[in-house]
Amino acid sequence: MITIAQSKIQETRILMSNIKNSTEHYPRLLMCAPDHFEVTYEINQWMQPQTWSHNSSELLKVAQQEWRFLNQTFKTLGFDVELVKPQPGLPDMVFTANAAVILNERVLLARFRFQERQPEEKPFAQYFELAKRKGLVKEVNSFPVGIFQEGAGDCIWDNQRQIFWAGYGPRSSKEATDYIGDYFGKEVVALELSPRFYHLDLSLSPLSNGQVLYYPGAFTGSAQKIIKDRIPANELIAIDKEDAENFVCNLVNVGKQIILSNCSSQLESKLNNLGYSVISTPVRKFGLAGGSVCCLTLKLDLTSKH
Ligand code: ARG
């Protein structure tokens, strides 16, 4: 596993340019710099505003450094990174995965459940209007009022199966499922989540070769059954609680490359045996807000095969 650490940034850059596969399509990602990142409210079980307030300036400094390494890692690997302007008072805007669901240049803007994040809708909408003018996307739409849906954080495109997996319960409404299906013309499989793992991208990650990483404990009994019915046992990789709580599923995967915050050596060897290589860029301070690598990105140019 390659771990990105400040002392080794030069070394890892060289290593990464060696492993970078020039024939691979590296997606265009949307990120938001953590200029105003902080934990001042509590809308999930990981957030502890008190802990943050005791050491806020040091925590922010480290978070900003972690984000810069992550951003640099993506760029070194060959990803295009677009930036949306951070807004004061919107600390969770760094989690761009929640901005929208995107496929085939069509954008469905998120509707946040909690009032703390609702003001993010406007700057994200403004960004996407700009992205449309720049030709990065073709169409921008919104969910109907009354339906909550928290973007790609709760709606994951499975390129192998050509379906969306959609999380609902703690954040997104179940009704969002049909709306996404109609809008994109794709099958959407709805999975009910438990409160602790409130967004689907914390606990399920389809990989490029068809395997799916997931944490069973994040799902209700019926959602676990749906997962097992839809994915053959040899492609389904259940991770343990420790990896789940380190947000291992919250990874970015392109081809053979997996970029994540950190994972156990057992899981890493499992992934290596399946042909994947793991790059670890720790973003633990964002864990204090309940997010990790994947949440800090949004794929702007996802396309389906047909
Ligand atoms: N504090 C943010 C929230 O609770 C974290 C969002 C993490 N994003 C994600 N896609 N899982 O909404």
Side-chain angles (χ1 to χ4, degrees):
M1 172 154 64
I2 299 180
T3 304
I4 311 296
Q6 189 178 25
S7 54
K8 290 203 203 142
I9 191 88
Q10 203 51 36
E11 205 178 301
T12 43
R13 240 178 239 168
I14 298 165
L15 260 169
M16 281 193 288
S17 1
N18 292 341
I19 57 169
K20 170 169 148 183
N21 179 349
S22 51
T23 59
E24 197 66 63
H25 168 74
Y26 284 90
R28 175 173 287 131
L29 300 178
L30 179 67
M31 295 183 76
C32 177
D35 298 9
H36 309 293
F37 177 64
E38 55 185 354
V39 182
T40 46
Y41 51 75
E42 214 177 315
I43 55 169
N44 68 52
Q45 294 183 12
W46 310 87
M47 298 176 93
Q48 290 171 359
Q50 280 219 331
T51 315
W52 183 271
S53 69
H54 288 147
N55 201 6
S56 56
S57 56
E58 181 57 21
L59 289 169
L60 176 62
K61 222 166 71 198
V62 181
Q64 291 176 332
Q65 196 175 54
E66 291 178 338
W67 186 92
R68 277 199 300 274
F69 290 165
L70 181 66
N71 176 272
Q72 189 55 54
T73 302
F74 286 130
K75 292 206 265 198
T76 309
L77 281 169
F79 289 80
D80 256 340
V81 182
E82 280 274 308
L83 295 174
V84 53
K85 195 165 176 271
Q87 303 292 324
L90 299 180
D92 277 338
M93 232 189 124
V94 291
F95 299 113
T96 49
N98 296 117
V101 182
I102 305 176
L103 188 71
N104 298 331
E105 303 180 308
R106 307 182 79 204
V107 178
L108 255 183
L109 296 169
R111 274 195 198 279
F112 289 94
R113 181 171 292 271
F114 291 118
Q115 65 176 30
E116 287 83 347
R117 294 202 67 182
Q118 284 165 359
E120 294 177 35
E121 291 171 13
K122 195 168 162 206
F124 280 133
Q126 283 166 344
Y127 167 78
F128 280 106
E129 282 310 321
L130 187 78
K132 196 163 101 182
R133 287 204 291 279
K134 283 185 10 186
L136 298 180
V137 298
K138 286 213 174 84
E139 203 182 288
V140 183
N141 273 290
S142 304
F143 283 91
V145 178
I147 292 187
F148 297 114
Q149 203 290 328
E150 301 205 349
D154 247 347
C155 186
I156 302 174
W157 177 245
D158 185 332
N159 196 47
Q160 198 72 15
R161 297 171 184 79
Q162 296 289 293
I163 59 166
F164 278 114
W165 297 98
Y168 71 92
R171 296 296 181 88
S172 302
S173 326
K174 186 161 193 227
E175 302 80 69
T177 316
D178 288 343
Y179 197 80
I180 296 167
D182 291 344
Y183 183 72
F184 293 103
K186 299 290 170 199
E187 186 186 355
V188 185
V189 180
L191 301 171
E192 191 174 5
L193 301 170
S194 66
R196 186 157 173 77
F197 293 90
Y198 57 96
H199 279 145
L200 184 62
D201 67 353
L202 299 177
S203 316
L204 182 122
S205 179
L207 302 180
S208 55
N209 281 346
Q211 301 88 356
V212 176
L213 280 189
Y214 86 123
Y215 175 54
F219 298 92
T220 60
S222 57
Q224 288 184 36
K225 186 172 176 323
I226 296 171
I227 293 173
K228 287 192 180 140
D229 286 347
R230 299 287 306 221
I231 304 169
N234 64 335
E235 293 194 321
L236 195 53
I237 306 169
I239 65 163
D240 64 22
K241 190 163 180 252
E242 198 186 326
D243 274 327
E245 296 196 334
N246 280 322
F247 300 130
V248 160
C249 287
N250 203 252
L251 55 81
V252 171
N253 165 227
V254 176
K256 300 274 172 214
Q257 229 69 256
I258 289 180
I259 301 119
L260 47 69
S261 181
N262 52 290
C263 84
S264 64
S265 48
Q266 292 93 309
L267 182 60
E268 194 204 351
S269 8
K270 217 182 252 182
L271 292 168
N272 291 158
N273 290 338
L274 292 166
Y276 298 99
S277 58
V278 178
I279 298 177
S280 155
T281 82
V283 287
R284 291 198 181 85
K285 297 296 169 273
F286 295 93
L288 301 174
S292 190
V293 170
C294 179
C295 312
L296 293 166
T297 68
L298 177 65
K299 288 182 180 155
L300 293 173
D301 55 359
L302 269 181
T303 49
S304 65
K305 288 182 187 152
H306 33 81

